Amino acid sequence: MDRIAERTAPPTRTSRKDRQPTLISSVQRALRLLEAVGGFRHGATAKQLARVAGLPLGTAYHLLRTLTHEGYLRRTDGHFFYGESVDGIVRADDRQAERHGLRVRMEQLSDELDAAVYFALYEDGEVTVVDTVDGAHQPAVEPWADFRATAHAHAIGQCLLSQLPEEARRDHLARHPPVGLTPSTLVGESAVLRRIAGMRHTMPVVERQEYALGTVCAAVPITVGSVVATMALSLPVEQADRLTAVAGQLRRSVGAMTPSFVL
């Protein structure tokens, strides 16, 4: 019986805490080489990098060739330097820092204005809402209809379209024909184009219940180089009497910001 019990006993399971992580040694070695390159201001030879990383020269050569092929390193006159792919990682890290800075600024704006705040871009032919911050007492608008397809109806989209050349506006509306979302929505491509053409580039765009019933909005244009962007706010319709004043405050606050918050 003891032998049968011994054969049929379930294997002992190793808890997750006891398991060791699976590590890829070649990746570890490649990372050590990348770190080693940073210690040589004027580049380093394969021998120097192998010595610093504690790797056999043959292994170092193989990994250095791979890293160079993938763009993480570049080789000039027998010396290795960081390549464009490493620069891309650094830029991505910078963008994360910028995104955090943008979020902080938006939260400050939301507190100052007592409103929900939005930041959006027009890129690759579409409206892109980058970030949204709820107000302490004013939640953000629920995007019940696709923001990309309804630029004609909300302040964000109207503001972004107003910054585009007429040809680009026509192209956008041809791809996303204006449709009625509420009784206040302006429809008809010609009517929308006339409205947008009449907007002043430096002034807030105001919209009252055109995208969503019960909500009024304002958006401020932001143009930095080729970037087309906007900072916007929304309020419940019960506070519509605040909209003009708060939109002006938003314009002044955004104007005081440095261009660095535009991602």
Side-chain angles (χ1 to χ4, degrees), residues 41-257:
R41 184 175 180 181
H42 302 292
T45 65
K47 289 183 179 180
Q48 289 173 314
L49 294 173
R51 183 171 62 253
V52 172
L55 298 176
L57 184 57
T59 301
Y61 270 125
H62 174 72
L63 292 172
L64 289 169
R65 281 197 300 269
T66 303
L67 291 169
T68 302
H69 179 268
E70 296 298 326
Y72 291 97
L73 295 177
R74 60 182 175 84
R75 186 178 183 182
T76 303
D77 297 330
H79 288 69
F80 291 90
F81 303 82
Y82 286 134
E84 291 184 359
S85 294
V86 170
D87 294 339
I89 294 173
V90 173
R91 286 194 297 271
D93 186 59
D94 289 342
R95 284 194 296 272
Q96 285 186 331
E98 290 168 357
R99 180 68 63 85
H100 175 71
L102 169 65
R103 180 76 182 187
V104 170
R105 289 175 175 87
M106 290 179 65
E107 290 172 349
Q108 292 170 344
L109 277 175
S110 179
D111 289 341
E112 292 170 7
L113 305 174
D114 192 19
V117 174
Y118 314 77
F119 179 72
L121 299 170
Y122 193 85
E123 55 184 2
D124 300 326
E126 301 293 352
V127 173
T128 303
V129 178
V130 176
D131 204 356
T132 301
V133 174
D134 288 318
H137 309 101
Q138 324 297 346
V141 177
E142 190 69 29
W144 70 277
D146 190 347
F147 262 46
R148 294 171 299 179
T150 57
H152 66 287
H154 47 73
I156 287 174
Q158 294 171 24
C159 187
L160 293 173
L161 292 178
S162 73
Q163 299 176 63
L164 300 178
E166 183 177 354
E167 183 179 352
R169 296 175 194 165
R170 290 183 179 277
D171 173 73
H172 183 93
L173 295 177
R175 290 182 288 110
H176 302 296
V179 296
L181 301 179
T182 75
S184 300
T185 307
L186 183 65
V187 296
E189 183 177 326
S190 297
V192 173
L193 286 171
R194 283 196 300 272
R195 177 184 187 180
I196 294 173
M199 292 177 177
R200 296 172 60 185
H201 295 308
T202 60
M203 299 301 293
V205 173
V206 175
E207 168 258 305
R208 293 177 170 85
Q209 301 192 87
E210 295 180 45
Y211 174 79
L213 292 175
T215 303
V216 295
C217 304
V220 174
I222 303 170
T223 303
V224 180
S226 61
V227 175
V228 176
T230 181
M231 193 75 78
L233 64 87
S234 66
L235 296 170
V237 69
E238 294 80 12
Q239 297 184 27
D241 58 331
R242 293 181 56 216
L243 185 61
T244 300
V246 176
Q249 188 178 348
L250 174 66
R251 178 182 176 232
R252 290 189 295 274
S253 297
V254 170
M257 292 180 178

